[in-house]
């Protein structure tokens, strides 16, 4: 998975649910991302971060599909 600097995502679970984050650096082993709200910088292992981003993307895609389906049924 290609993760580049400037990639923005919205968390889906935990204490930061619904808050925006931006990737500030990424290399082969680590990814650093920053909270848009508090400015706190977090570091994560790239392998785990990629799994997390896949889960986040799937969640928001499913949410959008469900919304469009409900809207169409009205």
């Amino acid at each position: 998975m290609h993760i580049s600097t400037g990639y923005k995502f919205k968390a889906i679970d935990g204490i930061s649910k619904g808050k925006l984050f931006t990737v500030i650096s990424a290399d082969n082993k680590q990814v650093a991302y920053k909270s848009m709200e508090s400015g706190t910088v977090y570091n994560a292992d790239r392998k785990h971060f990629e799994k997390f981003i896949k889960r986040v993307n799937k969640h928001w895609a499913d949410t959008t599909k469900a919304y469009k389906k409900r809207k169409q049924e009205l």
Side-chain angles (χ1 to χ4, degrees), residues 1 3 11 15 18 24 32 36 38 44-45 47 51 53-54 57 59-60 62-63 72 74:
M1 175 178 225
I3 299 172
I15 198 164
I24 56 174
M36 299 295 284
S38 66
D45 182 51
K47 184 172 125 180
K51 289 180 184 178
I53 290 298
K54 286 179 183 179
N57 290 340
H59 170 78
W60 291 117
D62 292 346
T63 302
Q72 188 177 23
L74 289 178

Side-chain angles (χ1 to χ4, degrees), residues 6-70:
Y7 181 77
K8 294 182 180 183
F9 64 95
K10 189 185 262 189
I12 59 169
D13 54 10
I15 198 164
S16 60
K17 183 176 182 176
K19 296 184 180 160
L20 287 172
F21 293 89
T22 303
V23 173
I24 56 174
S25 69
D27 61 12
N28 292 338
K29 296 188 181 219
Q30 292 283 335
V31 175
Y33 55 99
K34 178 178 159 183
S35 169
M36 299 295 284
E37 186 175 297
S38 66
T40 306
V41 176
Y42 301 96
N43 291 314
D45 182 51
R46 185 175 181 106
K47 184 172 125 180
H48 295 290
F49 186 77
E50 287 178 354
K51 289 180 184 178
F52 173 70
I53 290 298
K54 286 179 183 179
R55 212 175 41 159
V56 166
N57 290 340
K58 182 177 180 339
H59 170 78
W60 291 117
D62 292 346
T63 302
T64 302
K65 285 178 189 176
Y67 170 76
K68 287 181 179 180
K69 185 179 177 183
R70 284 193 308 265

